[in-house]
Amino acid sequence: MTDAAVPVTQSAVEIFTEQYLRTLGCDIDKHDNRWAVTTPNEVDSELLTDSLTLVCGSDVGDGAAEELHPESQFFQTLLTEASERTPTGKISLETDDAAVQIPRWLQGSDIEVSSADFTPYYDRTALVVLFRVSIETVSEYQTELLRAVALDTRSEEFLPTLEETFLQIASPDNEAETSKPMDMQAADIQPLFDTAREEVVDRIQETTDEIHQEASRAADAEVEEFRQMQQQRIQELEEQLSNLSGRIDNLSQQINSSNEGERVEALKERKELKTEYEDVDTELDDLRQRRDKGFPERQHEIRARHALDVQVEPLTITEVEYESGDLEVALATDEHTWDFAAGYGSGVGITEAVNCSKCGKEFTETNPVRDIDQGLICLDCYRQE
């Protein structure tokens, strides 16, 4: 399944922020990476002041300016405010507005798509939920993505091509289509929303696992570094104890063979050394016990700092009307031709499985159509011939 995600890059942040501020009627005067933003009086926004300075990046150098980058508090608040202004909406995808979308399993070979004609029969409705996904550890890693999940409201089947279409429409680089109020009711949306959220959590699992592994390795390295430092400290204390023990033995011999004045002084020094010995021995015993247990408190502290914080937050919910019907496709090579038909939706792409004429497997991007002699033949079957 296509993973429809948009990385929240610095460029995307700047484009989105500028478009949003200008839709509110703000004037923006740019000087290199500094933006002087003038806000109209009638704008209802807790985020914007009458005069605002933004610095693109994290090197602000000015306590009165706001940082503008993917992780900055200003941008996170702005994104939330923008979604709260228009959390829901409705758009329509008309057949005449978009070219026919050829599936990836028909691209990248010697087979030519000589024609692709779509005949719409009826209207269908889908729900697209745009999520903001943040995966981070307190110490090192952070990943910010916008991910879309689209599903048909009747069949509840996921529509990955529509997810890509929606992200293209919603891209800051494109002039967004005017959204209309939703027709769907909250009671109908909730189960679809729950399904979409479960799906996006499943889709980010691999990314979450990868970041978790990196964080675990970093934590393991830090734990091992700490263990080595403590082992070195243990060796230092052992040497210190051995040295103190030798000095105490020498003083004991000196006490037995000295005169009264020297004996008193030696007794005093030996008492001080014994006290120091006990302190060092106590510290050494404590370190050995903690080492034998694996330094549990320190391990907990280190691993807590490297633990993942995964946030999946819905930003917008959009009702999408699209036309559904049949797509008739004509294929050709230098030697052969083949025609086939499949269910299709405007902006949605082919909506039903198309299978290999020989093995019956569904065509995918990794197992595309490779030959059209006597049917649609997949790559796996073509290699076996």
Side-chain angles (χ1 to χ4, degrees), residues 116-135:
D117 299 318
F118 173 50
T119 304
Y121 295 137
Y122 46 87
D123 293 333
R124 295 290 292 266
T125 302
L127 194 73
V128 181
V129 185
L130 183 63
F131 293 94
R132 175 170 57 186
V133 177
S134 172
I135 308 173

CSV table of all heavy atoms in Angstrom, one decimal, residues 116-135:
chain,number,residue,atom,x,y,z
A,116,ALA,N,-6.5,5.2,-22.7
A,116,ALA,CA,-7.1,4.9,-21.4
A,116,ALA,C,-8.3,5.8,-21.2
A,116,ALA,O,-8.2,7.0,-21.0
A,116,ALA,CB,-6.1,5.1,-20.2
A,117,ASP,N,-9.5,5.2,-21.4
A,117,ASP,CA,-10.8,5.9,-21.4
A,117,ASP,C,-11.6,5.6,-20.2
A,117,ASP,O,-11.9,4.4,-19.9
A,117,ASP,CB,-11.5,5.6,-22.7
A,117,ASP,CG,-10.7,6.0,-23.9
A,117,ASP,OD1,-10.1,7.1,-23.9
A,117,ASP,OD2,-10.7,5.2,-24.9
A,118,PHE,N,-12.0,6.6,-19.4
A,118,PHE,CA,-12.8,6.5,-18.2
A,118,PHE,C,-14.2,6.8,-18.5
A,118,PHE,O,-14.5,7.9,-19.0
A,118,PHE,CB,-12.2,7.3,-17.1
A,118,PHE,CG,-13.1,7.3,-15.8
A,118,PHE,CD1,-13.5,6.2,-15.3
A,118,PHE,CD2,-13.4,8.5,-15.3
A,118,PHE,CE1,-14.3,6.2,-14.1
A,118,PHE,CE2,-14.2,8.6,-14.1
A,118,PHE,CZ,-14.6,7.4,-13.5
A,119,THR,N,-15.1,5.9,-18.1
A,119,THR,CA,-16.6,6.2,-18.2
A,119,THR,C,-17.2,6.2,-16.8
A,119,THR,O,-17.3,5.1,-16.2
A,119,THR,CB,-17.2,5.1,-19.1
A,119,THR,OG1,-16.6,5.0,-20.4
A,119,THR,CG2,-18.7,5.4,-19.2
A,120,PRO,N,-17.5,7.4,-16.3
A,120,PRO,CA,-18.1,7.4,-15.0
A,120,PRO,C,-19.6,7.0,-15.0
A,120,PRO,O,-20.3,7.3,-16.0
A,120,PRO,CB,-18.0,8.9,-14.6
A,120,PRO,CG,-18.0,9.6,-15.9
A,120,PRO,CD,-17.3,8.7,-16.9
A,121,TYR,N,-20.0,6.3,-14.0
A,121,TYR,CA,-21.4,5.8,-13.9
A,121,TYR,C,-22.1,6.4,-12.7
A,121,TYR,O,-23.3,6.7,-12.8
A,121,TYR,CB,-21.4,4.3,-13.7
A,121,TYR,CG,-20.9,3.5,-15.0
A,121,TYR,CD1,-20.1,2.5,-14.8
A,121,TYR,CD2,-21.2,4.0,-16.2
A,121,TYR,CE1,-19.6,1.8,-16.0
A,121,TYR,CE2,-20.8,3.3,-17.4
A,121,TYR,CZ,-19.9,2.2,-17.2
A,121,TYR,OH,-19.5,1.6,-18.3
A,122,TYR,N,-21.4,6.6,-11.6
A,122,TYR,CA,-22.1,7.1,-10.4
A,122,TYR,C,-21.1,7.8,-9.5
A,122,TYR,O,-19.9,7.7,-9.6
A,122,TYR,CB,-22.8,6.0,-9.6
A,122,TYR,CG,-22.0,4.7,-9.4
A,122,TYR,CD1,-21.1,4.6,-8.3
A,122,TYR,CD2,-22.0,3.7,-10.3
A,122,TYR,CE1,-20.3,3.5,-8.1
A,122,TYR,CE2,-21.3,2.6,-10.1
A,122,TYR,CZ,-20.4,2.5,-9.1
A,122,TYR,OH,-19.6,1.4,-8.9
A,123,ASP,N,-21.7,8.5,-8.5
A,123,ASP,CA,-20.8,9.3,-7.5
A,123,ASP,C,-20.6,8.4,-6.3
A,123,ASP,O,-21.5,7.7,-5.8
A,123,ASP,CB,-21.5,10.6,-7.1
A,123,ASP,CG,-21.6,11.6,-8.3
A,123,ASP,OD1,-20.7,11.5,-9.2
A,123,ASP,OD2,-22.5,12.4,-8.3
A,124,ARG,N,-19.4,8.5,-5.8
A,124,ARG,CA,-19.0,7.9,-4.5
A,124,ARG,C,-18.4,8.9,-3.5
A,124,ARG,O,-18.1,10.0,-4.0
A,124,ARG,CB,-18.0,6.8,-4.7
A,124,ARG,CG,-18.5,5.6,-5.6
A,124,ARG,CD,-19.6,4.8,-4.8
A,124,ARG,NE,-19.0,4.1,-3.7
A,124,ARG,CZ,-18.5,2.8,-3.8
A,124,ARG,NH1,-18.6,2.1,-4.9
A,124,ARG,NH2,-18.1,2.2,-2.7
A,125,THR,N,-18.4,8.5,-2.3
A,125,THR,CA,-17.8,9.5,-1.3
A,125,THR,C,-16.7,8.8,-0.5
A,125,THR,O,-16.8,7.6,-0.1
A,125,THR,CB,-18.9,9.9,-0.3
A,125,THR,OG1,-20.0,10.5,-1.0
A,125,THR,CG2,-18.4,10.9,0.7
A,126,ALA,N,-15.7,9.5,-0.2
A,126,ALA,CA,-14.6,9.0,0.6
A,126,ALA,C,-14.3,10.0,1.7
A,126,ALA,O,-14.7,11.2,1.7
A,126,ALA,CB,-13.3,8.8,-0.2
A,127,LEU,N,-13.6,9.6,2.7
A,127,LEU,CA,-13.2,10.4,3.8
A,127,LEU,C,-11.7,10.4,3.9
A,127,LEU,O,-11.1,9.3,3.9
A,127,LEU,CB,-13.8,9.9,5.2
A,127,LEU,CG,-13.7,10.9,6.3
A,127,LEU,CD1,-14.7,12.0,6.1
A,127,LEU,CD2,-14.0,10.2,7.7
A,128,VAL,N,-11.1,11.6,3.9
A,128,VAL,CA,-9.6,11.7,4.0
A,128,VAL,C,-9.3,12.4,5.3
A,128,VAL,O,-9.7,13.5,5.6
A,128,VAL,CB,-9.0,12.5,2.8
A,128,VAL,CG1,-7.5,12.5,3.0
A,128,VAL,CG2,-9.4,11.8,1.5
A,129,VAL,N,-8.5,11.7,6.1
A,129,VAL,CA,-8.1,12.3,7.4
A,129,VAL,C,-6.6,12.6,7.3
A,129,VAL,O,-5.8,11.8,7.0
A,129,VAL,CB,-8.3,11.4,8.6
A,129,VAL,CG1,-8.0,12.1,9.9
A,129,VAL,CG2,-9.8,10.9,8.6
A,130,LEU,N,-6.2,13.9,7.6
A,130,LEU,CA,-4.8,14.3,7.6
A,130,LEU,C,-4.3,14.3,9.0
A,130,LEU,O,-4.9,15.0,9.9
A,130,LEU,CB,-4.7,15.7,6.9
A,130,LEU,CG,-3.3,16.2,6.8
A,130,LEU,CD1,-2.5,15.3,5.8
A,130,LEU,CD2,-3.3,17.7,6.3
A,131,PHE,N,-3.3,13.5,9.2
A,131,PHE,CA,-2.7,13.4,10.6
A,131,PHE,C,-1.4,14.1,10.6
A,131,PHE,O,-0.6,14.0,9.7
A,131,PHE,CB,-2.5,11.9,11.0
A,131,PHE,CG,-3.8,11.2,11.2
A,131,PHE,CD1,-4.4,10.4,10.1
A,131,PHE,CD2,-4.5,11.1,12.4
A,131,PHE,CE1,-5.5,9.7,10.3
A,131,PHE,CE2,-5.6,10.4,12.6
A,131,PHE,CZ,-6.2,9.7,11.5
A,132,ARG,N,-1.1,14.7,11.8
A,132,ARG,CA,0.3,15.1,12.1
A,132,ARG,C,0.9,14.0,13.0
A,132,ARG,O,0.4,13.7,14.0
A,132,ARG,CB,0.3,16.5,12.8
A,132,ARG,CG,1.7,16.9,13.2
A,132,ARG,CD,1.7,18.3,13.7
A,132,ARG,NE,0.8,18.6,14.8
A,132,ARG,CZ,0.6,19.8,15.2
A,132,ARG,NH1,1.2,20.9,14.7
A,132,ARG,NH2,-0.2,20.0,16.2
A,133,VAL,N,2.0,13.5,12.5
A,133,VAL,CA,2.7,12.4,13.2
A,133,VAL,C,4.1,12.9,13.7
A,133,VAL,O,4.9,13.5,12.9
A,133,VAL,CB,2.9,11.2,12.3
A,133,VAL,CG1,3.7,10.1,13.1
A,133,VAL,CG2,1.6,10.6,11.9
A,134,SER,N,4.3,12.8,15.0
A,134,SER,CA,5.6,13.2,15.6
A,134,SER,C,6.2,12.0,16.3
A,134,SER,O,5.5,11.4,17.2
A,134,SER,CB,5.4,14.4,16.5
A,134,SER,OG,6.6,14.7,17.2
A,135,ILE,N,7.4,11.6,15.9
A,135,ILE,CA,8.1,10.5,16.6
A,135,ILE,C,9.4,11.1,17.1
A,135,ILE,O,10.2,11.5,16.3
A,135,ILE,CB,8.3,9.3,15.6
A,135,ILE,CG1,7.0,8.9,15.0
A,135,ILE,CG2,8.9,8.2,16.4
A,135,ILE,CD1,7.2,7.9,13.9
